[in-house]
Amino acid sequence: MITNPRWRALTRHNLFWPVAVLVALLLVNIPFTPDFFAIHMTDGHLYGSLVSIVLFGSPLILVAVGMTLVIATGGIDLSVGAVVAITGALTCSYISDQKDQDALSGVLLAMGLGLIAAVVCGLWNGFLVARMGIQPIIATLIIMVAGRGVAQLITDGQIITINSEPYKLIGGGYWLTLPFSIFVVAAVVAVTVALTRRTALGLLVESVGGNAEASRLVGIRSMRIKIMVYVFCALCAGIAGLMVSSNTSAADGNNAGLWIELDAILAVVIGGTSLLGGRFSIGGTVVGALVIQTLTTTIYTIGVPTQTNLVFKAAVVIVVCLLQSPKFRAKVFGARAKKTPPAAPAAVTTEPATPKMEVS
Amino acid sequence: MSTTTKTPTTAAKPEARTPSKAARVLGDRRLPVLVTAALFLAMYIAGLSRYQNYGFGDSQVFLNLFIDNGYLLVAAVGATFVILSGGIDLSVGSVIGFTTMLTAWLVQDVGLPLLVVIPISLGVGAFGGFLMGYVIHNFEIQPFIVTLAGLFLFRGLCLVISKESIAINDSAVSSLAETRVSLGLGELSIGAVVALVVLAAAFYLLHYTRFGRRIYAIGGNEQSALLMGLPLGGTKIAVYTMSGFCSALAGLLFMLYIQSGDPLHAVGMELDAIAAVVIGGTLLTGGSGYVLGTLFGVLVLGLIKSIIQFEGTLSSWWTKIATGVLLCAFILIQRVMTTRKKA
């Protein structure tokens, strides 16, 4: 079926399927909303579906970028949703206690407090995973379960609403005609890419994910790297928590960031990072997060009843995962190729998997 | 029983030296279950001494633990099977929610008799589990992701049936929900009895059948299980099918308990189920644990809730924090045990 070598190389690139799905999803909108790609200026702000996809997707992109590094070390962080809730709760409750909620120093202090809480959560996760050697999925389950309780404890079970102009900026404000959160996300992504791809850090993270024991013997401080990625992931979740609470001007310990960990893991997987660790793609994750957000937006704009949102999401997860599964591709796409050399099924099964690893 | 469960670990981690007495006690697989049971007893006695005047000592209060948590017990038993096999099932809460919705819709809006609806619901749950198991095994996609898709799918299907909750006022449902089985000391609901039957069946399956032994073997070391010639795919698919079935059954019990279907029922219950399994001493890496431990895990979680009810002043979020702290403690105990075994 696929003969052109260039085309083959392209389809094997690890960003091919995620980008293809994203483009397909964007194109689906055109028959329903002809001006889907139009961006217009109102009150000095840019508006348009593309802008709002990035705006509403910002917290998810942030959390997913942090999650990518954790998954690259062979771990997983289930606690990010709870960290989002804790950060928002702490920051908003501190701001709401201020006499002047618009005072910049108070807002900065509150944000600092929230982020410190996030870092503490990350340290705790990193300590359990790296020092105690506990399976990541269980170690982070603790904060996932207890964290929302802590967030509700901070807000006393209430939804705290605040009215602070400077705090509104980070999640709902505009700067240079674009939503401010886009700049925050861009900065975090840029710093992460620079640190992981322009320094050896990314390689170290991948080697720890590939084989922690071997990389320790080579002289990499794998324990330190692991703790670092959990702290980074929690910090990203903390910033996302600031964004969510700032956008709604409220902290809801129960619902803030609900299921964001699952969406983030999904974004990472859609982006082509293997859950087994050992390699990662930040670009893929950003595309993956955009796919999820575009899916949500598309469902709204084409007028499908919103309650079917989750069914569509499930369908996309299944399709993307199946497309990425070497075994599935061998069974479905390889079935035709198999006809010529029927004697070597093993070669057909392994063939699509091996080059993919080399590309990344 | 002990030989059944010991086989996989001895195969996986041969002990080089004869362990000291302390190491042997710490390395005993029954220890976590005993610790959980002791914790349950200690909490119960603490509750007794604190709320004796409020009727905490009534045997009915104890039996209410089963009545109020029967559905969780059934779901956790299903989760135990999956976790013992080294997998995980995140779709539990969604399947429970979906089952309440489906039964409520079929009974209330379509008007089918309950006796027809029950097999349909159980069949749908089991089929969902089967599909997930099929994809996990045949396409080698991680259970975490596949069951996550299941979580979204079933929660979405709930909302497709209806966005609103459906109250059930069918006479068959309410008479079944109000039926009580007298035990002399107190009474149990039908849901609690079903949960205990499921527990007994799971105990038999895991510890006295070849199927149970295969689950332990696969959870202990999938590669060796495969090399030994165990039917890996069949067992794995069966485990997820059973988990789907248990979730659907838990959904039916939950529907009886609440007498309504709601698209937001049982959100996040998979975590309660996993927490109960972990507190019950089953290793999340698979291959080690007892379904009786899961019973104690559920009872401990239930007892936390009833103590908070008796306390009256404590707020509901303390349940979450207490669960988290307990999880943490038991994970650390498990950790100490597994390191001792290696040494």
Side-chain angles (χ1 to χ4, degrees), chain B residues 252-294:
Chain B
L252 282 175
L253 301 186
F254 195 64
M255 185 274 294
L256 272 187
Y257 183 67
I258 301 268
Q259 294 203 36
S260 73
D262 188 296
L264 290 177
H265 269 337
V267 168
M269 194 169 283
E270 56 280 341
L271 290 179
D272 288 342
I274 294 172
V277 174
V278 172
I279 292 174
T282 300
L283 285 185
L284 264 161
T285 39
S288 168
Y290 298 98
V291 74
L292 274 186
T294 303

Short mmCIF file of all heavy atoms in Angstrom, two decimals, chain B residues 252-294:
data_model
loop_
_atom_site.label_atom_id
_atom_site.label_comp_id
_atom_site.label_asym_id
_atom_site.label_seq_id
_atom_site.Cartn_x
_atom_site.Cartn_y
_atom_site.Cartn_z
N LEU B 252 -25.54 -2.22 40.04
CA LEU B 252 -26.91 -2.63 40.39
C LEU B 252 -27.16 -2.45 41.89
O LEU B 252 -28.21 -1.95 42.30
CB LEU B 252 -27.11 -4.10 40.01
CG LEU B 252 -27.36 -4.39 38.54
CD1 LEU B 252 -27.42 -5.88 38.30
CD2 LEU B 252 -28.67 -3.74 38.09
N LEU B 253 -26.16 -2.85 42.70
CA LEU B 253 -26.32 -2.71 44.15
C LEU B 253 -26.42 -1.24 44.54
O LEU B 253 -27.20 -0.86 45.41
CB LEU B 253 -25.14 -3.37 44.88
CG LEU B 253 -24.93 -4.85 44.63
CD1 LEU B 253 -23.83 -5.39 45.52
CD2 LEU B 253 -26.21 -5.63 44.85
N PHE B 254 -25.61 -0.42 43.86
CA PHE B 254 -25.63 1.02 44.15
C PHE B 254 -26.99 1.60 43.77
O PHE B 254 -27.54 2.44 44.49
CB PHE B 254 -24.51 1.71 43.36
CG PHE B 254 -24.20 3.10 43.82
CD1 PHE B 254 -23.72 3.32 45.09
CD2 PHE B 254 -24.39 4.19 42.98
CE1 PHE B 254 -23.43 4.60 45.53
CE2 PHE B 254 -24.10 5.47 43.41
CZ PHE B 254 -23.62 5.67 44.68
N MET B 255 -27.52 1.10 42.64
CA MET B 255 -28.84 1.57 42.19
C MET B 255 -29.90 1.20 43.23
O MET B 255 -30.78 2.00 43.56
CB MET B 255 -29.14 0.94 40.83
CG MET B 255 -30.39 1.37 40.12
SD MET B 255 -31.82 0.42 40.61
CE MET B 255 -31.40 -1.20 39.99
N LEU B 256 -29.78 -0.03 43.78
CA LEU B 256 -30.73 -0.45 44.83
C LEU B 256 -30.59 0.42 46.06
O LEU B 256 -31.56 0.79 46.70
CB LEU B 256 -30.45 -1.90 45.24
CG LEU B 256 -31.12 -3.01 44.46
CD1 LEU B 256 -30.85 -4.35 45.14
CD2 LEU B 256 -32.62 -2.77 44.36
N TYR B 257 -29.33 0.74 46.40
CA TYR B 257 -29.03 1.49 47.62
C TYR B 257 -29.55 2.92 47.51
O TYR B 257 -30.11 3.46 48.46
CB TYR B 257 -27.51 1.47 47.83
CG TYR B 257 -27.02 2.15 49.08
CD1 TYR B 257 -27.32 1.63 50.33
CD2 TYR B 257 -26.24 3.29 49.00
CE1 TYR B 257 -26.86 2.23 51.47
CE2 TYR B 257 -25.77 3.91 50.13
CZ TYR B 257 -26.08 3.38 51.37
OH TYR B 257 -25.63 3.99 52.50
N ILE B 258 -29.39 3.53 46.32
CA ILE B 258 -29.75 4.94 46.13
C ILE B 258 -31.14 5.06 45.51
O ILE B 258 -31.79 6.10 45.63
CB ILE B 258 -28.71 5.61 45.20
CG1 ILE B 258 -27.32 5.50 45.80
CG2 ILE B 258 -29.04 7.05 44.88
CD1 ILE B 258 -26.87 6.62 46.64
N GLN B 259 -31.58 4.02 44.83
CA GLN B 259 -32.86 3.99 44.11
C GLN B 259 -33.01 5.11 43.09
O GLN B 259 -34.06 5.74 42.97
CB GLN B 259 -34.03 4.00 45.08
CG GLN B 259 -34.06 2.72 45.91
CD GLN B 259 -35.43 2.44 46.46
OE1 GLN B 259 -36.43 2.70 45.81
NE2 GLN B 259 -35.48 1.89 47.65
N SER B 260 -31.91 5.36 42.40
CA SER B 260 -31.98 6.31 41.29
C SER B 260 -30.79 6.09 40.39
O SER B 260 -29.83 5.42 40.76
CB SER B 260 -31.96 7.75 41.80
OG SER B 260 -30.68 8.07 42.24
N GLY B 261 -30.90 6.60 39.18
CA GLY B 261 -29.75 6.58 38.29
C GLY B 261 -29.30 8.01 38.09
O GLY B 261 -30.13 8.91 37.96
N ASP B 262 -27.99 8.24 38.12
CA ASP B 262 -27.52 9.61 37.93
C ASP B 262 -26.22 9.55 37.15
O ASP B 262 -25.36 8.72 37.44
CB ASP B 262 -27.30 10.27 39.29
CG ASP B 262 -27.01 11.75 39.16
OD1 ASP B 262 -25.97 12.11 38.57
OD2 ASP B 262 -27.82 12.55 39.64
N PRO B 263 -26.07 10.43 36.15
CA PRO B 263 -24.83 10.39 35.36
C PRO B 263 -23.59 10.70 36.19
O PRO B 263 -22.47 10.44 35.73
CB PRO B 263 -25.05 11.44 34.28
CG PRO B 263 -26.23 12.23 34.69
CD PRO B 263 -27.04 11.36 35.59
N LEU B 264 -23.77 11.26 37.38
CA LEU B 264 -22.58 11.57 38.19
C LEU B 264 -22.42 10.61 39.36
O LEU B 264 -21.58 10.83 40.24
CB LEU B 264 -22.64 13.01 38.70
CG LEU B 264 -22.45 14.05 37.61
CD1 LEU B 264 -22.58 15.45 38.17
CD2 LEU B 264 -21.10 13.88 36.92
N HIS B 265 -23.19 9.52 39.38
CA HIS B 265 -23.02 8.54 40.43
C HIS B 265 -21.63 7.92 40.36
O HIS B 265 -21.12 7.65 39.29
CB HIS B 265 -24.03 7.40 40.25
CG HIS B 265 -25.33 7.63 40.97
ND1 HIS B 265 -25.44 8.46 42.05
CD2 HIS B 265 -26.56 7.12 40.77
CE1 HIS B 265 -26.70 8.45 42.47
NE2 HIS B 265 -27.40 7.66 41.70
N ALA B 266 -21.03 7.71 41.52
CA ALA B 266 -19.79 6.92 41.64
C ALA B 266 -18.63 7.51 40.85
O ALA B 266 -17.77 6.77 40.39
CB ALA B 266 -20.02 5.48 41.20
N VAL B 267 -18.57 8.82 40.70
CA VAL B 267 -17.39 9.43 40.07
C VAL B 267 -16.19 9.19 40.97
O VAL B 267 -16.24 9.47 42.17
CB VAL B 267 -17.60 10.94 39.85
CG1 VAL B 267 -16.28 11.60 39.49
CG2 VAL B 267 -18.60 11.18 38.75
N GLY B 268 -15.15 8.64 40.40
CA GLY B 268 -13.92 8.42 41.17
C GLY B 268 -13.96 7.21 42.08
O GLY B 268 -13.09 7.03 42.91
N MET B 269 -14.99 6.35 41.93
CA MET B 269 -15.05 5.21 42.83
C MET B 269 -13.95 4.20 42.54
O MET B 269 -13.58 3.42 43.41
CB MET B 269 -16.41 4.54 42.77
CG MET B 269 -16.59 3.59 43.92
SD MET B 269 -18.24 3.01 44.08
CE MET B 269 -19.03 4.40 44.81
N GLU B 270 -13.38 4.24 41.30
CA GLU B 270 -12.27 3.33 41.03
C GLU B 270 -11.13 3.58 42.02
O GLU B 270 -10.44 2.65 42.42
CB GLU B 270 -11.77 3.48 39.59
CG GLU B 270 -11.33 4.85 39.13
CD GLU B 270 -12.51 5.74 38.75
OE1 GLU B 270 -13.59 5.20 38.51
OE2 GLU B 270 -12.35 6.97 38.72
N LEU B 271 -10.98 4.84 42.45
CA LEU B 271 -9.91 5.15 43.41
C LEU B 271 -10.21 4.54 44.76
O LEU B 271 -9.33 4.01 45.43
CB LEU B 271 -9.74 6.65 43.54
CG LEU B 271 -9.16 7.30 42.32
CD1 LEU B 271 -9.05 8.78 42.53
CD2 LEU B 271 -7.80 6.71 42.02
N ASP B 272 -11.48 4.62 45.20
CA ASP B 272 -11.86 3.99 46.46
C ASP B 272 -11.58 2.50 46.39
O ASP B 272 -11.07 1.91 47.34
CB ASP B 272 -13.35 4.21 46.74
CG ASP B 272 -13.63 5.65 47.14
OD1 ASP B 272 -12.66 6.34 47.53
OD2 ASP B 272 -14.79 6.08 47.07
N ALA B 273 -11.94 1.90 45.23
CA ALA B 273 -11.74 0.46 45.08
C ALA B 273 -10.25 0.13 45.13
O ALA B 273 -9.83 -0.79 45.84
CB ALA B 273 -12.35 -0.02 43.77
N ILE B 274 -9.43 0.91 44.38
CA ILE B 274 -7.98 0.65 44.37
C ILE B 274 -7.41 0.86 45.77
O ILE B 274 -6.60 0.07 46.26
CB ILE B 274 -7.28 1.54 43.33
CG1 ILE B 274 -7.73 1.15 41.92
CG2 ILE B 274 -5.77 1.41 43.43
CD1 ILE B 274 -7.26 2.09 40.84
N ALA B 275 -7.88 1.94 46.44
CA ALA B 275 -7.39 2.23 47.79
C ALA B 275 -7.73 1.06 48.72
O ALA B 275 -6.89 0.64 49.52
CB ALA B 275 -7.99 3.52 48.31
N ALA B 276 -8.96 0.53 48.60
CA ALA B 276 -9.35 -0.58 49.46
C ALA B 276 -8.45 -1.79 49.20
O ALA B 276 -8.03 -2.47 50.15
CB ALA B 276 -10.81 -0.96 49.21
N VAL B 277 -8.14 -2.04 47.93
CA VAL B 277 -7.30 -3.18 47.59
C VAL B 277 -5.89 -3.00 48.18
O VAL B 277 -5.32 -3.92 48.76
CB VAL B 277 -7.23 -3.37 46.06
CG1 VAL B 277 -6.24 -4.46 45.69
CG2 VAL B 277 -8.60 -3.71 45.51
N VAL B 278 -5.36 -1.77 48.05
CA VAL B 278 -4.01 -1.51 48.55
C VAL B 278 -3.99 -1.60 50.08
O VAL B 278 -3.11 -2.23 50.67
CB VAL B 278 -3.52 -0.12 48.10
CG1 VAL B 278 -2.21 0.23 48.78
CG2 VAL B 278 -3.34 -0.09 46.61
N ILE B 279 -4.97 -0.99 50.73
CA ILE B 279 -5.02 -1.05 52.20
C ILE B 279 -5.19 -2.50 52.64
O ILE B 279 -4.69 -2.91 53.68
CB ILE B 279 -6.16 -0.14 52.72
CG1 ILE B 279 -5.80 1.33 52.46
CG2 ILE B 279 -6.38 -0.34 54.21
CD1 ILE B 279 -6.89 2.29 52.79
N GLY B 280 -5.85 -3.29 51.79
CA GLY B 280 -6.01 -4.71 52.10
C GLY B 280 -4.75 -5.52 51.89
O GLY B 280 -4.76 -6.73 52.08
N GLY B 281 -3.68 -4.87 51.46
CA GLY B 281 -2.39 -5.55 51.43
C GLY B 281 -2.03 -6.20 50.10
O GLY B 281 -1.06 -6.92 50.02
N THR B 282 -2.83 -5.96 49.04
CA THR B 282 -2.46 -6.52 47.74
C THR B 282 -1.41 -5.62 47.10
O THR B 282 -1.56 -4.41 47.08
CB THR B 282 -3.71 -6.61 46.85
OG1 THR B 282 -4.65 -7.45 47.48
CG2 THR B 282 -3.37 -7.19 45.49
N LEU B 283 -0.36 -6.25 46.58
CA LEU B 283 0.69 -5.46 45.93
C LEU B 283 0.18 -4.95 44.59
O LEU B 283 -0.35 -5.73 43.80
CB LEU B 283 1.93 -6.31 45.68
CG LEU B 283 2.82 -6.66 46.86
CD1 LEU B 283 4.04 -7.40 46.36
CD2 LEU B 283 3.22 -5.42 47.60
N LEU B 284 0.35 -3.65 44.32
CA LEU B 284 -0.12 -3.12 43.05
C LEU B 284 0.71 -3.60 41.87
O LEU B 284 0.32 -3.47 40.73
CB LEU B 284 -0.13 -1.59 43.08
CG LEU B 284 -1.50 -1.02 43.44
CD1 LEU B 284 -1.37 0.39 43.90
CD2 LEU B 284 -2.42 -1.07 42.25
N THR B 285 1.86 -4.19 42.16
CA THR B 285 2.65 -4.75 41.07
C THR B 285 2.09 -6.10 40.64
O THR B 285 2.49 -6.64 39.62
CB THR B 285 4.11 -4.94 41.51
OG1 THR B 285 4.09 -5.39 42.85
CG2 THR B 285 4.88 -3.65 41.42
N GLY B 286 1.17 -6.63 41.43
CA GLY B 286 0.52 -7.88 41.06
C GLY B 286 1.17 -9.08 41.70
O GLY B 286 2.29 -9.02 42.20
N GLY B 287 0.43 -10.18 41.71
CA GLY B 287 0.99 -11.44 42.12
C GLY B 287 0.96 -11.75 43.60
O GLY B 287 1.31 -12.85 44.00
N SER B 288 0.57 -10.80 44.44
CA SER B 288 0.57 -11.07 45.86
C SER B 288 -0.57 -10.35 46.55
O SER B 288 -0.73 -9.14 46.39
CB SER B 288 1.90 -10.64 46.47
OG SER B 288 1.82 -10.64 47.87
N GLY B 289 -1.34 -11.09 47.33
CA GLY B 289 -2.43 -10.48 48.08
C GLY B 289 -3.58 -11.44 48.26
O GLY B 289 -3.61 -12.52 47.67
N TYR B 290 -4.50 -11.04 49.11
CA TYR B 290 -5.66 -11.88 49.40
C TYR B 290 -6.92 -11.08 49.22
O TYR B 290 -6.96 -9.89 49.54
CB TYR B 290 -5.61 -12.39 50.83
CG TYR B 290 -4.42 -13.26 51.11
CD1 TYR B 290 -3.29 -12.74 51.71
CD2 TYR B 290 -4.43 -14.60 50.74
CE1 TYR B 290 -2.19 -13.53 51.96
CE2 TYR B 290 -3.34 -15.39 50.97
CZ TYR B 290 -2.23 -14.87 51.58
OH TYR B 290 -1.14 -15.65 51.80
N VAL B 291 -7.98 -11.76 48.76
CA VAL B 291 -9.24 -11.06 48.59
C VAL B 291 -9.85 -10.74 49.96
O VAL B 291 -10.59 -9.76 50.10
CB VAL B 291 -10.18 -11.88 47.68
CG1 VAL B 291 -10.74 -13.06 48.40
CG2 VAL B 291 -11.27 -11.00 47.11
N LEU B 292 -9.48 -11.50 50.99
CA LEU B 292 -9.97 -11.18 52.34
C LEU B 292 -9.41 -9.84 52.81
O LEU B 292 -10.07 -9.10 53.53
CB LEU B 292 -9.57 -12.27 53.32
CG LEU B 292 -10.52 -13.45 53.43
CD1 LEU B 292 -10.06 -14.39 54.55
CD2 LEU B 292 -11.95 -12.99 53.69
N GLY B 293 -8.18 -9.55 52.39
CA GLY B 293 -7.58 -8.25 52.71
C GLY B 293 -8.43 -7.14 52.15
O GLY B 293 -8.65 -6.11 52.79
N THR B 294 -8.92 -7.35 50.92
CA THR B 294 -9.78 -6.35 50.30
C THR B 294 -11.03 -6.09 51.14
O THR B 294 -11.45 -4.96 51.31
CB THR B 294 -10.18 -6.81 48.88
OG1 THR B 294 -8.99 -7.03 48.14
CG2 THR B 294 -11.04 -5.79 48.19
#
